[in-house]
């Protein structure tokens, strides 16, 4: 797809868009042992911007899973033995993702509902993550090296990794997991969410010839396929991103084989705003932190605690920004926010808003679904809420921000930490020394100062408490995707 074609595409109708994506999907299959296979049926993927069917996606059966795991197991020793080939392949994958960014972005926009500009940025982000891993060195640690002895820790691959991903950033998460796993010398069987499987299958087709058969396998299917992956006797590790509910289940499912686990789970991040900030300067950053991707980011700002003295001004500034945002289809150039990606999520977010209103919340702006097809919600700001109300206590994962006030910093930190979630959090102040002190007191895997969130290929990211196990991003990714092995040498005199 060239840029010229893309410009022409601005005039396509919704029906033509659907047709275009269906033509791409017609050529998709599961990548198994280097071949695209049809699976044993199909399931329907919904276009969230229409609330209507988008395409039929091939569905992988248990036979496909066995074949994929067998291919991954067979390919793994040779893959692990050839580091230069791994580096070359990761660079080739990054190049191929970039070269296909428009096509991948079109499919992502159709299945997630993200505005096309943002959807096309996702492959570019995915390519950057893959390139990071291509260029990164898997560390060898020298713990002791003296006249008598040398003690090293080397990082060796684990084997076949099951990579299971959610629907909010399908390609970014898939590419990141695959790249980190492959860099160490593992091979991968990946499964995207059944809500958004299409770009991941397209990724499989794009990388089909860039790695030896069996090194990357991609299967589309429902939760039951994920369950079978985590219980497969020849899967040695599960790298999972998704809900806490599924993360807990995966821990139990994987117990029998004592599979290695990396779990990137849900969050309910708090942002705490101190009275010394420039309210007008930070309001757009807080707004983006809460409402980017219609709030469907694991580390979005999901609870806002503002010092009482500036709360009114900040709520007004956030409300003014919210009123400039119009939900719309991915293709409309005026669109700045997309829909909820799934119907259950759409209904859940509405349920939380209704519950808060019933409990006495004030809807400062938004609060309802615009009168149009698709899973659209207005950006919603609530006041008059507090801990103990569901929209504050639960991960709403939608375009809703409950705003609360505080006067005492110790008291607000208690409210911030009174949760089982522990993914991210932020402090907003000009007092860096105070912010550093407060950041250490947040019970979260990442705490940001004057930003929220900050993630990237080189930045370790993950949760404490029920928000997960292990870290993705940066060289620490390799701690999760490898077995640390100790080598101890007694030197001869
Ligand atoms: P989900 O847990 O329902 O599904 C995620 C994936 O797991 C899907 O592919 C699904 O088919 C599969 N799955 C479900 N049950 C399974 C089981 N028992 N065994 C194996 N696989 C199973 O999550 P979702 O609704 O797709 O995603 C939203 C959630 O993901 C939110 O909670 C969000 O915060 C979280 N998330 C976390 C991060 C992070 O990095 N911490 C990033 C993005 C999303």
């Amino acid at each position: 797809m060239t840029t010229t074609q893309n410009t022409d595409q601005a005039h396509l109708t919704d029906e033509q868009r659907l047709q275009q994506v269906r033509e791409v999907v017609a050529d998709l299959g599961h990548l198994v042992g280097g071949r695209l296979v049809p699976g044993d049926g199909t399931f329907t993927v919904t276009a969230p911007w229409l609330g209507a069917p988008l395409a039929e996606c091939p569905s992988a059966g248990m036979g496909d899973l066995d074949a994929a795991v067998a291919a991954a197991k067979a390919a793994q020793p040779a893959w692990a033995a050839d580091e230069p080939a791994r580096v070359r392949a990761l660079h080739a994958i990054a190049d191929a993702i970039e070269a296909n960014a428009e096509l991948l972005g079109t499919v992502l926009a159709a299945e997630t509902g993200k505005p096309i500009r943002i959807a096309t940025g996702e492959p570019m982000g995915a390519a950057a993550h893959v390139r990071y891993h291509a260029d990164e060195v898997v560390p060898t640690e020298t713990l002791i090296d003296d006249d008598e002895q040398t003690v090293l820790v080397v990082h060796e691959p684990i084997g076949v990794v099951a990579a299971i991903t959610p629907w909010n950033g399908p390609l970014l998460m898939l590419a990141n997991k695959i790249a980190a796993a492959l860099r160490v010398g593992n091979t991968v069987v990946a499964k995207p969410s059944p809500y958004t499987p299409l770009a991941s299958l397209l990724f499989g087709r794009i990388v089909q010839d860039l790695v030896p058969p069996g090194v990357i396998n991609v299967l589309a299917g429902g939760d039951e396929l994920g369950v079978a992956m985590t219980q497969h006797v020849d899967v040695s590790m599960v790298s999972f991103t998704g809900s806490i509910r599924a993360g807990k289940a995966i821990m139990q499912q994987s117990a029998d084989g004592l599979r290695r686990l990396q779990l990137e789970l849900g969050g309910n991040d708090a942002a705490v705003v101190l009275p010394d900030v420039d309210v007008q300067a930070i309001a757009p950053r807080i707004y983006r932190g809460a409402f980017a991707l219609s709030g469907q980011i694991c580390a979005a700002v999901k609870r806002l605690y503002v010092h009482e003295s500036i709360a009114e001004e900040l709520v007004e500034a956030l409300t003014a920004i919210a009123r400039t945002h119009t939900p719309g289809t991915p293709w409309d150039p005026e669109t700045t926010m997309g829909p909820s990606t799934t119907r259950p999520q759409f209904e859940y977010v509405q349920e939380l808003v209704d519950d808060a209103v019933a409990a006495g919340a004030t809807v400062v702006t938004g609060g309802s679904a615009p009168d149009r097809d698709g899973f659209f919600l207005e950006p919603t700001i609530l006041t008059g809420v507090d801990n103990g109300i569901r929209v504050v206590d639960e991960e709403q994962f939608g375009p809703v921000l409950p705003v609360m006030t505080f006067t005492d910093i110790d008291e607000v930190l208690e409210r911030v930490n009174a949760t089982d979630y522990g993914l991210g959090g932020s402090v907003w102040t000009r007092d860096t020394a105070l912010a550093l002190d407060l950041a250490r007191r947040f019970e979260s895997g990442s705490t940001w100062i004057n930003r929220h969130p900050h993630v990237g290929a080189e930045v370790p990211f993950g949760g404490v408490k029920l928000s997960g196990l292990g870290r993705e991003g940066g060289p620490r990714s390799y701690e999760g995707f490898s077995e640390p092995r100790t080598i101890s040498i007694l030197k001869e005199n």
Side-chain angles (χ1 to χ4, degrees):
M1 193 175 290
T2 65
T3 312
T4 317
Q5 280 169 323
N6 214 35
T7 310
D8 294 344
Q9 290 186 6
H11 306 293
L12 296 183
T13 63
D14 286 353
E15 194 46 50
Q16 287 168 320
R17 296 278 181 195
L18 290 172
Q19 197 46 41
Q20 189 182 40
V21 172
R22 284 175 189 144
E23 279 167 23
V24 175
V25 174
D27 282 340
L28 295 180
H30 314 283
L31 180 62
V32 175
R35 292 188 311 120
L36 293 183
V37 303
D40 62 1
T42 64
F43 60 92
T44 303
V45 176
T46 299
W49 42 286
L50 284 174
L54 168 65
E56 287 299 303
C57 178
S59 175
M62 295 305 157
D64 299 310
L65 174 59
D66 283 340
V69 175
K73 188 179 178 189
Q76 197 268 328
W79 178 249
D82 192 347
E83 185 175 23
R86 298 205 298 275
V87 172
R88 276 197 306 277
L90 287 176
H91 277 294
I93 291 170
D95 292 344
I97 295 173
E98 281 174 0
N100 288 280
E102 291 198 27
L103 185 58
L104 284 161
T106 299
V107 174
L108 281 167
E111 64 182 347
T112 65
K114 292 175 192 180
I116 183 71
R117 183 180 46 79
I118 295 170
T120 310
E122 186 172 333
M124 300 310 282
H129 277 73
V130 175
R131 214 177 287 293
Y132 168 83
H133 288 296
D135 292 335
E136 190 56 56
V137 175
V138 180
T140 293
E141 297 158 66
T142 305
L143 301 184
I144 305 173
D145 188 24
D146 58 24
D147 292 344
E148 188 190 342
Q149 60 182 336
T150 301
V151 178
L152 307 173
V153 174
V154 294
H155 292 273
E156 295 297 332
I158 297 173
V160 176
V161 174
I164 303 177
T165 49
W167 45 258
N168 61 332
L171 187 70
L172 185 64
M173 284 178 236
L174 181 87
N176 196 24
K177 286 186 190 305
I178 288 178
L182 259 48
R183 180 65 185 85
V184 183
N186 305 288
T187 52
V188 175
V189 178
K191 187 197 88 67
S193 165
Y195 290 105
T196 56
L198 303 175
S200 300
L201 290 187
L202 178 57
F203 167 85
R205 194 179 82 190
I206 289 168
V207 303
Q208 181 181 6
D209 298 324
L210 302 180
V211 289
V215 167
I216 299 175
N217 304 270
V218 186
L219 305 173
D223 296 357
E224 67 295 340
L225 184 66
V227 173
M229 288 167 75
T230 64
Q231 294 175 328
H232 200 290
V233 67
D234 286 325
V235 167
S236 304
M237 175 187 173
V238 180
S239 175
F240 172 77
T241 301
S243 62
I244 290 176
R245 174 196 54 77
K248 286 180 180 176
I250 287 171
M251 206 165 193
Q252 290 177 328
Q253 291 156 203
S254 305
D256 202 29
L258 219 67
R259 277 173 204 97
R260 303 305 186 250
L261 291 181
Q262 185 204 42
L263 303 174
E264 298 284 345
L265 308 179
N268 192 9
D269 291 12
V272 174
V273 187
L274 301 188
D276 66 343
V277 295
D278 177 342
V279 169
Q280 301 306 323
I282 66 161
R285 278 183 271 149
I286 291 188
Y287 186 87
R288 266 196 309 280
F291 291 96
L293 285 191
S294 300
Q296 299 170 118
I297 295 180
C298 52
V301 178
K302 293 176 181 138
R303 302 177 282 153
L304 183 60
Y305 297 91
V306 189
H307 192 272
E308 198 177 70
S309 60
I310 53 163
E312 200 178 317
E313 187 188 351
L314 184 54
V315 168
E316 262 176 31
L318 292 171
T319 302
I321 300 170
R323 291 190 175 142
T324 66
H325 284 272
T326 327
T329 71
W331 327 108
D332 183 342
E334 303 294 311
T335 296
T336 53
M337 70 181 282
S340 292
T341 293
T342 77
R343 183 184 291 280
Q345 195 63 39
F346 171 64
E347 291 172 351
Y348 174 65
V349 176
Q350 284 178 301
E351 182 183 311
L352 291 184
V353 173
D354 291 347
D355 176 80
V357 170
T362 302
V363 179
V364 182
T365 189
S368 50
D371 185 20
R372 57 180 302 158
D373 291 338
F375 309 145
F376 291 98
L377 290 163
E378 293 165 345
T380 297
I381 295 175
L382 301 174
T383 58
V385 287
D386 209 337
N387 290 41
I389 305 285
R390 288 182 62 199
V391 75
V392 179
D393 291 355
E394 299 179 22
E395 179 188 27
Q396 78 275 120
F397 217 56
V400 179
L401 183 64
V403 186
M404 292 151 286
T405 59
F406 73 92
T407 51
D408 180 81
I409 194 69
D410 293 319
E411 183 270 336
V412 78
L413 278 175
E414 269 178 38
R415 281 148 80 199
V416 164
N417 289 331
T419 173
D420 287 335
Y421 293 94
L423 195 57
S426 60
V427 185
W428 299 71
T429 174
R430 297 180 205 204
D431 184 340
T432 308
L434 174 63
L436 273 171
D437 174 52
L438 296 178
R440 303 281 299 255
R441 294 167 64 191
F442 268 65
E443 295 170 0
S444 50
S446 302
T447 308
W448 302 288
I449 297 171
N450 297 328
R451 58 186 356 180
H452 194 144
H454 176 223
V455 292
E458 64 292 339
V459 184
F461 179 74
V464 303
K465 301 203 276 189
L466 295 192
S467 288
L469 284 181
R471 297 291 177 266
E472 277 189 346
R476 284 178 195 278
S477 310
Y478 305 130
E479 291 172 11
F481 283 101
S482 65
E483 292 287 13
R485 297 205 200 151
T486 306
I487 299 177
S488 173
I489 308 160
L490 179 62
K491 293 179 179 167
E492 294 290 341
N493 293 320

